[in-house]
């Protein structure tokens, strides 16, 4: 179902903006273990959290592009 593709959204966005896992964790301020669990699909953040993180990652890319 739709749950399967959800867990990779954060990971895909992170890769798209060219951040490593550690960089993304630091940028967003999420504990390493939590981020890992999300990327591995062991846990999923609430929808609003995921949306905020994805938005923030995309904003990171925009700020990098301007440099």
């Amino acid at each position: 179902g739709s749950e399967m593709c959800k867990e990779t959204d954060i990971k895909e966005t992170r890769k798209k903006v060219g951040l490593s896992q550690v960089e993304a964790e630091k940028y967003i301020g999420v504990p390493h273990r939590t981020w890992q669990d999300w990327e591995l699909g062991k846990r999923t953040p609430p929808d609003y959290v995921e949306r905020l993180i994805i938005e923030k990652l995309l904003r990171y890319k925009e700020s990098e592009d301007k440099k």
Side-chain angles (χ1 to χ4, degrees), residues 23-63:
E23 287 169 329
E25 291 159 6
K26 285 201 181 119
Y27 178 63
I28 305 288
V30 175
H32 178 66
R33 177 51 52 78
T34 304
W35 193 282
Q36 242 181 350
D37 284 351
W38 291 346
E39 289 209 359
L40 293 169
K42 287 183 185 166
R43 290 164 55 188
T44 44
D47 280 347
Y48 68 92
V49 172
E50 189 175 45
R51 273 200 305 273
L52 285 170
I53 288 175
I54 287 170
E55 260 175 49
K56 196 164 177 184
L57 288 173
L58 293 171
R59 205 166 298 142
Y60 174 85
K61 178 159 172 48
E62 281 169 20
S63 69

Side-chain angles (χ1 to χ4, degrees), residues 1-8:
S2 60
E3 281 306 299
M4 278 313 292
C5 59
K6 241 187 66 90
E7 71 226 2
T8 57

Side-chain angles (χ1 to χ4, degrees), residues 60 62-67:
Y60 174 85
E62 281 169 20
S63 69
E64 284 297 296
D65 288 345
K66 288 198 182 82
K67 279 184 189 167

